[in-house]
Amino acid sequence: MGEISGPAAFSGDELQTWSSLATVLEWLPALLDAQLQRDAGLTHFEYGLLYALSVAPDRTLRLSVLAGYANSSLTKLSRAVTRLERRQWVRRTTDPTDGRYTLATLTELGWHQVDEAMPGHVATVRRLVLTPLTAAQHQQLRDITQSILTAAGPGHPWRSPTADTPVDMDGHT
Amino acid sequence: MGEISGPAAFSGDELQTWSSLATVLEWLPALLDAQLQRDAGLTHFEYGLLYALSVAPDRTLRLSVLAGYANSSLTKLSRAVTRLERRQWVRRTTDPTDGRYTLATLTELGWHQVDEAMPGHVATVRRLVLTPLTAAQHQQLRDITQSILTAAGPGHPWRSPTADTPVDMDGHT
DNA sequence: TAGCGTCACTTGCTCAAGCAAGTCAGACGA
DNA sequence: TCGTCTGACTTGCTTGAGCAAGTGACGCTA
């Protein structure tokens, strides 16, 4: 840490801001995961995979591309796809145009699974985050998160917020 | 999900807000963990334990109390304390006043560890979150997180934001 | 004071994920 | 055309955490 950092401990004001954010950081993902797990037997991560496939052309993506969308290591993805395959929601194929790639395709069964899981998840996000905030707060939150993401700086592959096809793993376009 | 939830998919506006927040939710904890791991060989969770002990009277807490502060299961805590004990940062004792309880005490070595780890962690939080935001945004963020936490509703043991001794696991009073 | 229920941990089993070491297909230079 | 390289997965080993089944200390009641 070779940087000017100020006093070693937070001021009361800093602490208020940070601890309130930290609390959300701790609980919100847990709540979302719990809902998906309870109602659809899916982790948020697995849901994200199924969702990304569901909006992809031919419901198919190369694993490496999917890993990018999911912000996941190939290891984690490979094992997750194995689990989803076991449940018949996804099928693996070798890319016919280049045998080095592996394609993941959403099955019909998997499509139904997304279809069933999405409304509950969307409703939960609305209930916990979107509805409680005023329109002004929506804008404020976007600005704030943008500042934080910018501070995290380049060198982190933030998903471009203006991408033409924002295959946002948490998104539901 | 027996509630009015609106259309099944997010509107563009909703998506903007949610995906920006989701990105922070995904990256910020990872960045904080990475810094602590790299500079201090600690997970954020372990850091939180050491920190909580460091501000406790006699640098000692009952495991069950510590679990409450850390928002952790007793299982997770028990194993974490075992790891910290192995590194000589914490010592376990049976509570002399009641043999059913187990006390965790920060050792001298553990105290130094906190002392060394804190500045870097505090600086990282400042760099990523506190400094980039204006004073107005600080207030906005507190309001927003409060709304979200409220929406998550009672039934969740939010740490009281006004507790006299806010042993905030992420905090650094 | 013996028996019992309760509560605070602890631990065995299982699974998810990281790292590092394979494996295999295509690209490329000799 | 052959050997080498690279890149895309895959998998063995290890670790962290959850669940459920212990274990041991108290308190309480008969």
Side-chain angles (χ1 to χ4, degrees):
Chain A
M1 291 292 92
E3 37 180 284
I4 296 142
S5 50
F10 290 134
S11 71
D13 215 49
E14 287 177 320
L15 184 58
Q16 268 207 355
T17 302
W18 168 235
S19 78
S20 68
L21 175 58
T23 305
V24 169
L25 246 40
E26 187 176 343
W27 282 93
L28 192 49
L31 291 173
L32 295 173
D33 249 320
Q35 181 272 322
L36 272 172
Q37 190 67 55
R38 180 167 42 77
D39 297 340
L42 285 172
T43 64
H44 193 182
F45 179 68
E46 292 167 337
Y47 171 80
L49 298 182
L50 296 183
Y51 175 77
L53 288 175
S54 78
V55 297
D58 291 325
R59 294 175 188 169
T60 296
L61 288 172
R62 290 180 172 177
L63 288 195
S64 39
V65 173
L66 185 52
Y69 290 160
N71 185 36
S72 148
S73 71
L74 222 34
T75 297
K76 180 177 177 182
L77 178 63
S78 178
R79 299 197 208 270
V81 169
T82 301
R83 291 195 297 275
L84 296 175
E85 242 183 332
R86 220 179 285 137
R87 303 224 244 169
Q88 314 265 349
W89 290 334
V90 166
R91 230 188 342 263
R92 246 189 264 247
T93 334
T94 300
D95 188 332
T97 73
D98 186 334
R100 286 170 298 183
Y101 293 89
T102 303
L103 302 177
T105 304
L106 196 66
T107 64
E108 199 63 29
L109 217 59
W111 197 90
H112 288 311
Q113 176 65 14
V114 174
D115 204 42
E116 279 178 22
M118 186 154 76
H121 180 56
V122 169
T124 304
V125 171
R126 284 212 178 97
R127 181 170 61 81
L128 295 180
V129 177
L130 299 173
T131 309
L133 303 184
T134 66
Q137 284 180 316
H138 276 240
Q139 188 54 54
Q140 291 167 5
L141 182 54
R142 284 184 286 229
D143 292 342
I144 288 169
T145 53
Q146 199 51 58
S147 295
I148 292 174
L149 264 34
T150 303
H156 291 290
W158 306 126
R159 275 169 259 136
S160 129
T162 53
D164 45 342
T165 308
V167 182
D168 188 304
M169 298 297 298
D170 294 308
H172 317 262
T173 318
Chain B
M1 293 288 92
E3 37 183 285
I4 296 140
S5 49
F10 291 135
S11 71
D13 215 51
E14 288 177 321
L15 184 58
Q16 269 208 354
T17 303
W18 169 235
S19 79
S20 67
L21 175 58
T23 306
V24 168
L25 245 41
E26 186 176 347
W27 282 92
L28 192 49
L31 291 172
L32 295 172
D33 249 321
Q35 179 273 324
L36 272 173
Q37 190 67 53
R38 179 167 43 78
D39 297 341
L42 285 171
T43 63
H44 193 183
F45 178 68
E46 292 168 338
Y47 172 81
L49 297 182
L50 296 182
Y51 175 78
L53 289 174
S54 78
V55 297
D58 292 325
R59 294 175 188 168
T60 297
L61 287 171
R62 290 179 171 177
L63 288 196
S64 39
V65 173
L66 185 52
Y69 289 160
N71 186 35
S72 147
S73 71
L74 222 34
T75 297
K76 179 176 176 182
L77 177 62
S78 178
R79 300 196 208 269
V81 168
T82 301
R83 291 195 299 273
L84 296 174
E85 241 183 332
R86 220 180 282 138
R87 304 224 243 168
Q88 313 267 347
W89 289 335
V90 165
R91 230 188 342 263
R92 247 190 262 246
T93 333
T94 300
D95 188 332
T97 74
D98 187 333
R100 286 170 298 184
Y101 292 89
T102 303
L103 302 177
T105 304
L106 196 66
T107 63
E108 198 62 30
L109 217 59
W111 198 89
H112 288 311
Q113 176 65 13
V114 175
D115 204 41
E116 280 177 22
M118 186 153 73
H121 180 57
V122 169
T124 304
V125 172
R126 284 213 178 94
R127 181 171 60 82
L128 295 180
V129 177
L130 300 173
T131 309
L133 302 183
T134 66
Q137 285 180 315
H138 277 241
Q139 188 55 52
Q140 291 167 6
L141 182 54
R142 283 184 288 231
D143 292 342
I144 288 169
T145 53
Q146 197 51 56
S147 295
I148 293 174
L149 264 35
T150 302
H156 291 290
W158 308 124
R159 276 169 257 135
S160 130
T162 53
D164 44 343
T165 308
V167 183
D168 188 303
M169 297 296 299
D170 295 308
H172 318 262
T173 317

